[in-house]
Structure formats: structure tokens, C-alpha cells
Amino acid sequence: MVAVSVPSKLTPGASAGKTAFDLKCAVCHGKNGEGQNGVAPPLIHKIYEPSHHGDESFQRAVKIGVRSHHWKFGDMAPIEGLTRADVSSIIVYIRELQRANGIN
């Protein structure tokens, strides 16, 4: 849905987050968080900048799901098999991609 510039090298924390993201998130949010039409929104988007969707919002979305409110993709169900630490590493990855794409 959106073009995502990927840094040539990720930090170790972001690399760990990418692994978890690829296993649990990419199926809906697309490779590198660019989103998928009709499936899930892009996470590399101004709507998900830290000042609007803080890190805890990602933790809560994974743990309890989230009602659709910015996009018309439907609700997100909770995601099983991820710990808070896993989600924290995913957030590091997402935030690193966001910064690489001018989202601070």
C-alpha cells in the first residue's frame, strides 16, 4: 500500500524485531509493514508515529486486539504466541523503519 525504504543495515534490536514481525505480523501488515489492500493497514505511516500511537498501543493491540478506527480493514484480533518482550522488539523494528521513512 505504501512504499517503504528499508535501511541498508538494521540495529541488532530491530533485526530481532524483524524476525518476530516476519513470523507474526507480515502475513497481514505486509513485508516491512507496508500494509495490504483489503487486509491490514501500513504501519509505516504517519498515523502510527510515536506521538499518536505510542509503544503501549502496539502492546495492547497484540494482547487484546483493536477495533477498527483509522482504516476500514475491520478489527484486529489478538495475536497469540508473542510475549511483551517479543512485541517490544517488533516495535524497535517498526520505529526504525518509520524513522528511515521520515516518520518520527
Side-chain angles (χ1 to χ4, degrees), residues 66-88:
V66 65
R67 284 191 346 213
S68 178
H69 57 288
H70 290 297
W71 309 90
K72 296 183 181 196
F73 292 102
D75 299 340
M76 177 181 153
I79 307 300
E80 295 186 18
L82 290 172
T83 65
R84 279 190 68 85
D86 294 332
V87 178
S88 290

Side-chain angles (χ1 to χ4, degrees), residues 3-64:
V4 176
S5 295
V6 179
S8 59
K9 184 172 182 177
L10 296 171
T11 63
S15 292
K18 180 179 183 345
T19 299
F21 183 93
D22 289 348
L23 288 171
K24 293 290 189 169
C25 310
V27 65
C28 293
H29 288 285
K31 182 180 178 185
N32 301 315
E34 73 271 4
Q36 292 191 74
N37 283 321
V39 180
L43 298 175
I44 313 309
H45 191 280
K46 186 167 178 58
I47 285 177
Y48 296 102
E49 70 184 351
S51 65
H52 190 251
H53 280 86
D55 294 355
E56 190 59 29
S57 67
F58 287 94
Q59 291 283 358
R60 292 176 53 80
V62 169
K63 184 174 181 171
I64 62 173

